[in-house]
Amino acid sequence: MFNIGISEMLIIAAIALLVIGPKGLPDLARAIGRGLTEFRKATNDFKRSLHGEMDQHLGPDVKELAQLAKEVRAQTKNPGDISQALETAAQVIESGHKELGQIAQPLKGEQPPPTQPFNHEKKES
């Protein structure tokens, strides 16, 4: 974490032993441990509240997109599955486009243009 080796830690411990003394060193170690524990609790509480606020404001759509992104990443780790990952991504984009068209239709009062399915296969010339 702090990139401190064993020799540096031994030097710090020796200086602390000389400055604080053998009787005060255990008390100091306990106080540092309690402080670190409280800091860790506060950090976890902050993370939990931040994630809660994000979930509340962003809604389930973002969670669904994050899950789809994880699935695509998992599939692309194996190069043989790249075509399946591309097909999944194309389906997600097409469904999102259709949903946006359905949402926008009542707003505009007009028909959205028909969508063409994505064809990822190479065209031969």
Side-chain angles (χ1 to χ4, degrees), residues 24-35:
L25 202 55
D27 294 333
L28 178 67
R30 275 189 218 102
I32 290 173
R34 286 185 194 122

Side-chain angles (χ1 to χ4, degrees), residues 94-121:
E94 287 174 3
S95 66
H97 181 53
K98 287 177 185 176
E99 288 177 13
L100 284 176
Q102 290 172 353
I103 292 170
Q105 183 179 5
L107 298 175
K108 292 181 179 178
E110 56 187 47
Q111 194 80 321
T115 58
Q116 297 294 327
F118 179 74
N119 186 2
H120 64 26
E121 296 177 4

Side-chain angles (χ1 to χ4, degrees), residues 9 14 28 47 50 67 74 122:
M9 289 183 69
L28 178 67
K47 285 180 184 178
L50 186 63
Q67 181 63 32
K122 293 183 181 179

